[in-house]
Structures are given as structure tokens and as C-alpha cells.
Amino acid sequence: MRLSEIRRRVVLIGSATFVTGALLAVTAGSVQAASTGGSRAEAASSSAAATVSASARSGARAGASTADQAASYWTPERMRSAISADTLVNGVKSSAPTRAKPTGPAYSVPPAAPVKPAVAGLAGAASAGNATDRAGVAVNASASVGKVFFHNPANGGNYVCSAGTVNSGSRLLVMTAGHCVHGGQGGQWMQNWVFVPLYNYGAEPYGRWSAKWLTTFNAWINDSNLERDVAYVTVWPNASGQRPVDVLGGNGLSVNYSFQQFVTILAYPQAPPFDGGWQQYCQGTTSRPGTWPFQEYKIQLRCGFTGGSSGAVWLRAYNGNLGYVNGVMSTLNSSGWNKSPYFDTAVADVYNSVANRV
């Protein structure tokens, strides 16, 4: 089947509806942890995270800033040849179940609409990439969602993931999977990390934002624990001095919601049958993997999204323009089930630690 045909299909897969296309982004006070007793202590013990200053690959444009080095590293040829980051989690096993329920009451950070116009020449970029025009479905492309490119110093490879903006005090925050910023147990921090919103077959209508700080859970770094395969990235302002949430909008954040939520997943799957060139989406009601009492601390949806979708945002209460990040793409199994870590108080604790970092 030709890729052009795949991009025009609407297919029912299990409880999810898979459609090609794309979607759009909405001030946040800080999330206040509301759990108590043992649940709160457990959340605190699992929320320990590490942050490092993002770096560029050695030898990339000597004399330039780290942000410029990272951005200039990504030539069109390197972007085309970068491979899916799902290979970085192949063979990683889930930890034994350790928690039976959320760690506190459900609460959220609200989304934020863009407040500044795009740089000159980019106005209308989202409508120019309208998914109705490209794929025959009435869904707008989301400027808050993009493709991520990074270099892995552990093996010298170049990789791709997906990511989405998150509203925060700094208005510089992007959310993705832990394995899109660090290789996990025995691995290293990724380099030359850039976020390209609304990437469209090589076109970059909003340009690039380079990473300034990379943050993920120690449980991922030290143990490759897929229950904590979550990352926050603080980016530099772009070449025009603009912050991504100001230009693109920022999704909200939800934690401690039930395992059953209707979500919209926005991603750039790249491994066949996809090609990574344009945003895809999947919608359906999530469930908790496994059978009681042997359940994983995750949510799942049968989308069949392949490598390259890692780090994609799972949006609760998506209204056609905005949503609340309720998960990020972590893995795909042989039956087509995609999984995300469950978002609990620990995820909010790390958010609070980075929300105002600049």
C-alpha cells in the first residue's frame, strides 16, 4: 500500500479510532500536590529527577552558542536519515507493579493560548498545513506538537521522537518521553536536541527551538523503569527571542485522573507503515494494562503507532484546539497497543521543579 493511501485512511483498531491528520494548542499557576499520608510519601520517593544542561555534539560549529550548534547540526540530510527512537527501549521490561491507585486527587494545569504573533513570514503557517487539504479529513494541524531530533553520544546515532508544548511559568517547556532525552540504564544524555513544531515533510513553518535543560526521572536514568519514561525539556528562546508557548500555545497538564480517559494522541510515527513526515492522530478511551492484581502502572490505547511517535502527547479533554497532557507515548507491543506511564503526583512534582526554570 502506498503511503499516500495510508495517510487517507480511517481505520478502527480495537477501542481506538486511528486517523491520519493533525490537530491545535491554550496560564498556569503551579500544580499543588494534594495527596496525603502514605500515598504522598510514595509519590515523593518516586519523583526524584535529574536535570542537566543540554549539550551539542563535540565539534559542531566551534564558537557558536550551544543552541545554535544544536540547531545548525540538523541539516536536511541528517533530518531525513535520523531513525526512530523506539530502538532505544527495545527489550526494556516493565517493572513489577508497585502501586494500585492514583497518589492523590485529580488536578490540572490549564492550557494557554498563544499571546504573540509568529515571526515575520510565518503567519498562517498552521492553516497552510491544514490536514483537510493534505489528507481529506477535517482536522487542523497543531502548532503545539512537533517532531524532535537528537544525537545519541552512546552510539553516535541520530534519532527522532515527538513532543508537545506544556504551559508553565517560563513558557519554555516541552514534554516528551524519558528515552528521548536519556538512554536509560547504562546510557547517556542526548545531544543536539531540537524541537520542530508542525514539521511538515521538511518544512519548518515555526522554525526550531533548541534544548537548554533536559529533565527526567532517576528511575528511568538508573533503572530504565518504563513507569517513569517521562521528560521535560526547557528550551532556549528561538532566534527571534520568542518563547514557544507564546508563539505556539501550550497544552495543560493532568495528573491523578482515572485510568480510563478519552484521549487524542498527536504524533510523528516514522517506522512503516508511516513515514514521519506529518502529524498523525489516534483517539479512544484508555485502559490500564494487565489483569488485576497484575496490572501495570500505565495507560494504553490500541493505536499501532510505530517508532518516531515516542514522546507524543496524550491529550485529555481535547476540544479540537487544546488539551491536557495526560500521558506521553512510551512503547508499542506486537498487538498494536501503545502505552504511556500513568501520570501521578510525582509527574506534577517534577513539573513544579522545572515550570519556572529559564
Side-chain angles (χ1 to χ4, degrees), residues 96-238:
T98 55
R99 306 165 194 84
K101 58 186 179 181
T103 54
Y107 51 97
S108 299
V109 171
V115 297
K116 295 181 180 180
V119 295
L122 297 183
S127 61
N130 190 289
T132 300
D133 297 335
R134 294 192 55 82
V137 291
V139 179
N140 292 328
S142 176
S144 74
V145 172
K147 195 165 183 176
V148 168
F149 298 85
F150 58 89
H151 176 78
N152 183 3
N155 61 15
N158 292 327
Y159 291 87
V160 293
C161 276
S162 300
T165 61
V166 181
N167 185 27
S168 70
S170 72
R171 303 181 76 84
L172 292 168
L173 208 57
V174 174
M175 205 163 186
T176 188
H179 69 267
C180 299
V181 303
H182 189 280
Q185 186 177 31
Q188 299 180 41
W189 291 96
M190 305 307 176
Q191 299 176 332
N192 298 85
W193 199 101
V194 298
F195 172 62
V196 185
L198 206 67
Y199 179 87
N200 183 0
Y201 288 99
E204 303 175 30
Y206 291 98
R208 306 176 180 186
W209 273 270
S210 300
K212 184 176 184 180
W213 303 101
L214 304 175
T215 300
T216 191
F217 284 95
N218 287 328
W220 170 254
I221 296 170
N222 298 327
D223 303 316
S224 294
N225 184 344
L226 290 170
E227 292 180 357
R228 294 302 181 198
D229 188 17
V230 179
Y232 296 94
V233 178
T234 303
V235 298
W236 293 91
N238 66 10

Side-chain angles (χ1 to χ4, degrees), residues 261-300:
Q261 294 292 321
F262 185 84
V263 299
T264 299
I265 302 175
L266 312 179
Y268 282 86
Q270 178 160 310
F274 306 98
D275 63 5
W278 182 242
Q279 284 182 33
Q280 314 291 318
Y281 78 89
C282 174
Q283 292 178 312
T285 299
T286 61
S287 59
R288 186 174 185 177
T291 303
W292 188 89
F294 304 106
Q295 292 177 294
E296 298 176 59
Y297 200 51
K298 300 177 184 178
I299 56 175
Q300 65 178 1

Side-chain angles (χ1 to χ4, degrees), residues 106-109 111 253-255 257-258 260-264 313-319 322-327:
Y107 51 97
S108 299
V109 171
L253 176 67
S254 289
V255 299
Y257 278 74
S258 75
Q260 294 76 43
Q261 294 292 321
F262 185 84
V263 299
T264 299
V313 288
W314 296 33
L315 299 177
R316 184 189 64 81
Y318 182 72
N319 65 5
L322 316 166
Y324 296 76
V325 183
N326 194 64

Side-chain angles (χ1 to χ4, degrees), residues 32 36 94 181 196 238 242-243 255 279 351:
Q32 299 299 316
T36 59
S94 295
V181 303
V196 185
N238 66 10
Q242 295 175 311
R243 303 184 182 209
V255 299
Q279 284 182 33
Y351 168 86

Side-chain angles (χ1 to χ4, degrees), residues 18-160:
F18 159 76
V19 193
T20 64
L23 309 259
L24 191 71
V26 236
T27 39
S30 107
V31 175
Q32 299 299 316
S35 55
T36 59
S39 293
R40 181 68 186 129
E42 180 181 285
S45 68
S46 62
S47 64
T51 296
V52 300
S53 177
S55 64
R57 183 184 179 189
S58 177
R61 263 192 70 189
S65 69
T66 299
D68 287 343
Q69 287 183 58
S72 64
Y73 175 81
W74 290 104
T75 62
E77 180 180 357
R78 283 181 172 144
M79 295 172 93
R80 285 192 299 268
S81 62
I83 63 175
S84 305
D86 64 313
T87 58
L88 301 175
V89 292
N90 288 345
V92 175
K93 303 297 184 183
S94 295
S95 299
T98 55
R99 306 165 194 84
K101 58 186 179 181
T103 54
Y107 51 97
S108 299
V109 171
V115 297
K116 295 181 180 180
V119 295
L122 297 183
S127 61
N130 190 289
T132 300
D133 297 335
R134 294 192 55 82
V137 291
V139 179
N140 292 328
S142 176
S144 74
V145 172
K147 195 165 183 176
V148 168
F149 298 85
F150 58 89
H151 176 78
N152 183 3
N155 61 15
N158 292 327
Y159 291 87
V160 293

